[in-house]
Structure formats: structure tokens, C-alpha cells
Amino acid sequence: MNETIRDFLTTKRLASMQAFFDAGIKRFSKITLEELRRAMAIVEKENTQYVEDEFSFDDRRILVWTKDKSKIEQECILHFHSGGYVTGDELTGAQFCQALYNESGRTILCPDYPLCPEVTIPEIVDWSLKLLLDLKKRGVKRFILTGTSAGANLVTLCALENAKRSDQLDIKEIHLITGHYQSDFDSDSAHRFESGEESGLSKSMLLKLLDYAISDRDIHLQDPDIFPLYSDDLSLLPRTNIYVAKYDVLYDDSIMFYEKLMREGVQVSFKEFSSGFHAWTNYVLECDELLNYAKNNIFNEILKDNK
């Protein structure tokens, strides 16, 4: 791992969140969802400085970055935040959206989608597609969807569900960053990053998040409405771009998903960040090495047909 990035992960982030996560790793079976949400809210409050504008949909906040606040462009980028479906909000993805806007000047939205266990993952998918339909009524004709971790899972499920609907939206492409696609964490990367000290997410933390998000994980182990790796409809996906972090408990997830998309004939690309850790895009404005990688390997990919 790049030494600057390693220092960032193990020192600078310690000031705001690592102390909590260190305790969480040691006693995660005892930590409550309310404790987790409070801790993450404290961390993400720092990102209010990146809020440009906002509007409300279904009583939930949608952050907006745009040149012309009087209209939304015909093609719109939506970014879905990480958080294991049980924590995080629109501020979680604010640094990524601000950095992409700085690079592109494109219209970018980051929604505060509803969370589990208050709703189910299929209900979050339905809510997200309703948001896209509302944006279509506002004049958006094409969508580019991006997502990190659980957000990447959500983006994939949205694209699959959209492809089956009669009122199909034009989802041009999807961009999946350190994504979570399956439920079997007996992989090499899951064991390699069991502690989470280098990866930003441990196997024990991931499993606990899933227990909060899914009422009975054993029943839903291969549920395609939750884990897209098990879907029989992957050939319906639009152009898909997968970005994997080498230091990530979910590293093997991305490899398995990429290989299955290749077998299904999906137009798919794969990029590996050899110094990346889980959900690193949430911090791109705090570390120049992260920002430069995002510019050269993710932002360029999102914008290559749109400059």
C-alpha cells in the first residue's frame, strides 16, 4: 500500500472515526445500531462543507451539484452512498460528488435513501426508481448511476429492476466502487482482512451490518433481490464499470461479479486500485493520492463519452 495512503488510513482517520471502529471490531457483537448511526453521523457532519444545494423528494434530502440551479440537465449522474444499508446518508458521498463536480461541472445528485431495518432492500430499490421517475418528469432523459459498497449493490439492483419494467428508464451505465454483491464471506480477502485494520472494513463488521439489514440472513443467503451475484438476469445490465480496492474484505466479491458479468456477455470493465481500501472514495478530498487516483481512473471513465 502507498505509504501516504497507509498513513492517512491509520493516523488522520483515527482522529474522527478509527477509535470507534477499533472498539467496534473488538466488541462488535455488543454494539447497537443506534450507537453505530450516532458515530457515523458525527463523522459525516464534517462533510456539510461540501453541500452545494439540495431539494426534497418523499421528505428525504437530495444533495445537488449543478451549474444552473434553475434546471436539471438532460443527463444526470446519481451517486448512492455506502453504509451497509443501515447507516450513512447523503453526506457520506458528499466528498466524491464534490470532487467529481469539480472535475466535470456535470449535474450530480446524492440521495438520502431510506435504510434498513426500517424498510427492506427491495423497498429501497423501489424508492430509488421512484426518485429516478420523478427526475425524468423534471426533464432528465438519461442516467449514469454510481455507488460505493452497499451503494454499488443498490445501483446494480436498480438497473436490474429497471430493465424488467414497462416504464423503463434510460440508465446509460453504472459504476460500482468497492461493491458488495454476494453473501458467502469464506473468501481469501475476507479472511485476509478479518481485523479491518488495513481495509477499513472487517469481516465481523460486515456480517454485523448484514444482520442489521436483513431479517434472516440464513434465509436470504442467495436471494437475487438482495445479492446481485445470484441473479439470472445479469445480461440485462447496461455498460458496467467495476472498481476494486486491493485492501478490501470485499476484494473477491468484485472479481467474482466481474467474471460472471463477462460470462453473461455484459459490456464490463474492471480496474484495481493497488493501494485502495474499502469505501476509499468517501475521503477523496482529504488525501491527494486518493483524489488523483479517482480523477485518473474513475472520473475519466464516467466522463469519457460526455466531455
Side-chain angles (χ1 to χ4, degrees):
M1 180 182 284
N2 174 292
E3 287 304 313
T4 301
I5 293 175
R6 185 185 298 276
D7 288 345
F8 171 79
L9 180 62
T10 59
T11 59
K12 184 172 182 180
R13 293 309 296 177
L14 274 172
S16 58
M17 67 188 295
Q18 199 61 51
F20 168 78
F21 282 144
D22 284 347
I25 290 167
K26 292 174 183 176
R27 67 172 192 91
F28 214 75
S29 61
K30 299 178 182 178
I31 201 165
T32 68
L33 179 56
E34 290 71 25
E35 286 177 313
L36 180 61
R37 286 177 171 176
R38 283 199 301 271
M40 294 303 293
I42 291 170
V43 172
E44 285 150 4
K45 191 174 181 180
E46 300 173 7
N47 287 338
T48 55
Q49 63 184 300
Y50 305 116
V51 175
E52 295 276 333
D53 198 7
E54 62 185 79
F55 69 92
S56 178
F57 171 74
D58 196 29
D59 296 324
R60 306 192 71 89
R61 189 161 76 148
I62 316 296
L63 299 186
V64 183
W65 289 260
T66 186
K67 287 182 178 179
D68 188 348
K69 295 181 180 180
S70 67
K71 65 178 182 179
I72 293 180
E73 292 182 0
Q74 290 189 358
E75 186 167 277
C76 183
I77 300 169
L78 274 82
H79 180 68
F80 290 83
H81 67 78
S82 62
Y85 279 117
V86 299
T87 187
D89 56 30
E90 71 281 8
L91 290 175
T92 309
Q95 288 195 35
F96 178 84
C97 294
Q98 180 69 68
L100 179 56
Y101 178 72
N102 291 345
E103 190 75 3
S104 66
R106 299 284 306 284
T107 295
I108 303 166
L109 280 67
C110 189
D112 176 27
Y113 56 82
L115 298 175
C116 302
E118 288 80 3
V119 299
T120 66
I121 290 174
E123 287 172 334
I124 299 173
V125 173
D126 287 342
W127 182 92
S128 302
L129 289 174
K130 288 177 183 176
L131 170 62
L132 268 63
L133 284 170
D134 182 75
L135 292 170
K136 182 178 180 180
K137 293 176 183 177
R138 297 170 185 247
V140 179
K141 294 184 177 180
R142 293 176 304 279
F143 297 93
I144 295 173
L145 305 185
T146 73
T148 299
S149 189
N153 180 303
L154 177 56
V155 161
T156 308
L157 294 176
C158 285
L160 288 171
E161 179 62 25
N162 174 67
K164 303 172 191 175
R165 295 193 173 190
S166 57
D167 55 347
Q168 191 174 125
L169 298 154
D170 184 0
I171 298 178
K172 181 178 179 181
E173 59 191 64
I174 59 177
H175 296 263
L176 313 176
I177 305 162
T178 64
H180 173 203
Y181 312 110
Q182 57 95 34
S183 58
D184 179 9
F185 301 110
D186 193 28
S187 64
D188 289 343
S189 63
H191 294 305
R192 186 162 61 249
F193 300 115
E194 173 64 38
S195 71
E197 292 174 0
E198 288 185 306
S199 66
L201 177 69
S202 70
K203 178 180 175 180
S204 59
M205 290 173 69
L206 174 62
L207 292 174
K208 191 63 179 180
L209 291 170
L210 280 176
D211 284 337
Y212 286 138
I214 302 170
S215 58
D216 192 329
R217 185 157 47 87
D218 289 337
I219 291 177
H220 295 286
L221 279 177
Q222 295 191 9
D223 187 342
D225 291 331
I226 296 176
F227 300 111
L229 182 69
Y230 307 116
S231 173
D232 293 328
D233 300 313
L234 292 177
S235 62
L236 300 176
L237 286 175
R239 187 170 74 186
T240 300
N241 304 270
I242 295 173
Y243 309 91
V244 59
K246 186 70 173 179
Y247 290 82
D248 189 356
V249 67
L250 295 174
Y251 175 82
D252 291 332
D253 270 46
S254 293
I255 293 177
M256 287 186 283
F257 196 53
Y258 170 68
E259 290 176 346
K260 186 167 184 179
L261 293 189
M262 289 283 288
R263 292 195 298 270
E264 294 294 323
V266 177
Q267 186 180 357
V268 59
S269 69
F270 181 95
K271 290 189 177 182
E272 178 182 302
F273 186 9
S274 61
S275 292
F277 52 91
H278 185 72
W280 63 269
T281 50
N282 292 345
Y283 316 113
V284 292
L285 294 179
E286 298 180 47
C287 177
D288 286 343
E289 281 76 6
L290 298 179
L291 178 59
N292 289 335
Y293 186 88
K295 286 181 177 180
N296 295 328
N297 295 277
I298 299 181
F299 298 169
N300 280 357
E301 193 70 33
I302 293 173
L303 302 170
K304 67 181 181 181
D305 296 331
N306 306 288
K307 293 182 177 179

